[in-house]
Amino acid sequence: MLTTTDNIFHLRDGRVLGYAEYGDPTGTPVFFFHGLPGSRRQRHPDDSIAIELGAHIITIDRPGYGFSDFQPGRMLLDWPDDVAQLADSLKIDRFAAIGVSGGGPYLLTSAYKMPERITSATVISGMGPVDRAEGMKGMLPSMRLGLGIAPRVPWGFVHLALDPVAKMVSRNPLGAKKLVPSSAPEADKKAFARPDIQEVDRQDLSEAYRNGAQGAFWEVVLLATPWGFRLEDIHKKIYLWHGEEDTTVPQHMGRYVARTLSDCKSKFYPGEGHTLMYNYWREILTVAIA
């Protein structure tokens, strides 16, 4: 069993990157890209699944989260370089990669920029480009508003508006939890009512806001602006898993991404919401490391 949650790696430009390892240390390497907000502590609560399947899960704090330094002005296309440097340091040549929710764009970026290093690429309940109206259909109004105004909000206002959230989590880490809107599907409400998921959620959010809220805000800006490449230009097969009842990243977004990619195998699940991963982790991970 491997659970090493507080690792630090120094990148060539001097920045620090935090990461955690779970599962089987001798197993197939799988880089897991957390959601938004998120951290290296985001994972499936049952580590025995990864151990049984022989998967070595490596989850990295993206810049501004957890132990990772904030990177002013970074772009989505900068991310694969950080992943490659960490993989090199761990003596991992090729690896599977999984991106969940707001980590989906980072998976797609990695598949675009370094397809030769990725053995399989998986998106779970993942965000896609927001420049197409069809992809935004069914999204919560608050999310549509946030994605619409984020690129135009002055940086000073961000600190004023979001720092209280980070401070609240820092003052009361035991009470940190994601807010589940009343409009959320029943599957999501049931998932976040589970004590094991609540504990992972608490650890995850506490680390996500360790450095304040600037990391989370900058990621919203990145998702709301052009990514620097087209989905059509990804020359790697993408496995896509999505719940049909998802209101955080609606199925319309998932279907748009699946339809636009040049090579995509997608599965959409009736009755499942944004927390699809918790119910299908074994199946997803089995495909990812096959």
Side-chain angles (χ1 to χ4, degrees):
M1 177 177 179
L2 176 68
T3 305
T4 309
T5 58
D6 295 333
N7 300 313
I8 287 178
F9 171 66
H10 292 271
L11 295 157
R12 284 192 294 267
D13 64 4
R15 285 183 296 117
V16 167
L17 206 63
Y19 69 98
E21 298 176 88
Y22 306 98
D24 180 357
T26 64
T28 302
V30 181
F31 280 87
F32 182 83
F33 303 152
H34 63 71
L36 190 177
S39 74
R40 69 190 184 283
R41 294 294 187 93
Q42 192 173 107
R43 64 195 185 279
H44 191 281
D46 186 358
D47 201 36
S48 70
I49 295 174
I51 295 170
E52 180 185 332
L53 293 176
H56 175 192
I57 311 294
I58 304 157
T59 305
I60 311 171
D61 290 327
R62 289 196 295 274
Y65 293 123
F67 289 151
S68 294
D69 293 331
F70 183 64
Q71 185 182 10
R74 76 177 174 97
M75 305 300 290
L76 272 175
L77 286 168
D78 295 328
W79 174 246
D81 295 334
D82 288 358
V83 176
Q85 285 185 55
L86 177 59
D88 290 343
S89 77
L90 297 174
K91 295 180 171 50
I92 297 172
D93 181 32
R94 304 187 73 225
F95 47 85
I98 298 174
V100 63
S101 188
Y106 292 89
L107 178 284
L108 295 171
T109 303
S110 299
Y112 165 74
K113 194 169 181 181
M114 54 177 182
E116 72 287 346
R117 297 200 67 169
I118 297 177
T119 56
S120 75
T122 303
V123 174
I124 309 170
S125 309
M127 279 290 296
V130 300
D131 55 353
R132 295 292 183 93
E134 59 184 312
M136 300 286 280
K137 185 179 179 182
M139 186 174 287
L140 293 171
S142 58
M143 288 194 63
R144 292 173 66 100
L145 177 63
L147 289 167
I149 67 174
R152 300 188 292 272
V153 173
W155 194 248
F157 177 79
V158 174
H159 286 278
L160 184 66
L162 297 182
D163 273 3
V165 176
K167 290 177 181 177
M168 180 177 66
V169 172
S170 298
R171 284 195 300 266
N172 182 25
L174 292 177
K177 63 180 180 179
K178 289 186 174 71
L179 297 177
V180 183
S182 59
S183 59
E186 195 62 31
D188 288 352
K189 292 177 182 178
K190 287 182 178 179
F192 283 115
R194 285 172 44 181
D196 58 344
I197 293 177
Q198 289 179 353
E199 175 58 21
V200 168
D201 197 36
R202 180 191 66 78
Q203 295 176 22
D204 180 35
L205 286 180
S206 295
E207 286 299 311
Y209 291 115
R210 172 187 283 268
N211 301 314
Q214 58 184 1
F217 175 76
W218 188 249
E219 292 217 311
V220 175
V221 172
L222 289 181
L223 295 187
T225 51
W227 291 4
F229 65 97
R230 303 184 311 155
L231 295 179
E232 297 94 324
D233 295 329
I234 297 174
H235 302 297
K236 185 76 184 179
K237 184 173 186 175
I238 306 294
Y239 293 90
L240 186 147
W241 309 72
H242 214 105
E244 291 188 350
E245 302 300 318
D246 194 335
T247 54
T248 304
V249 180
Q251 64 163 317
H252 301 284
M253 175 73 80
R255 293 188 186 279
Y256 166 69
V257 171
R259 188 169 59 249
T260 307
L261 289 165
S262 60
D263 189 0
C264 180
K265 183 173 182 179
S266 61
K267 295 188 75 170
F268 290 84
Y269 288 84
E272 287 291 340
H274 199 59
T275 54
L276 167 82
M277 182 186 84
Y278 296 120
N279 291 331
Y280 290 92
W281 181 236
R282 180 181 294 275
E283 183 178 352
I284 293 169
L285 196 54
T286 298
V287 173
I289 65 175

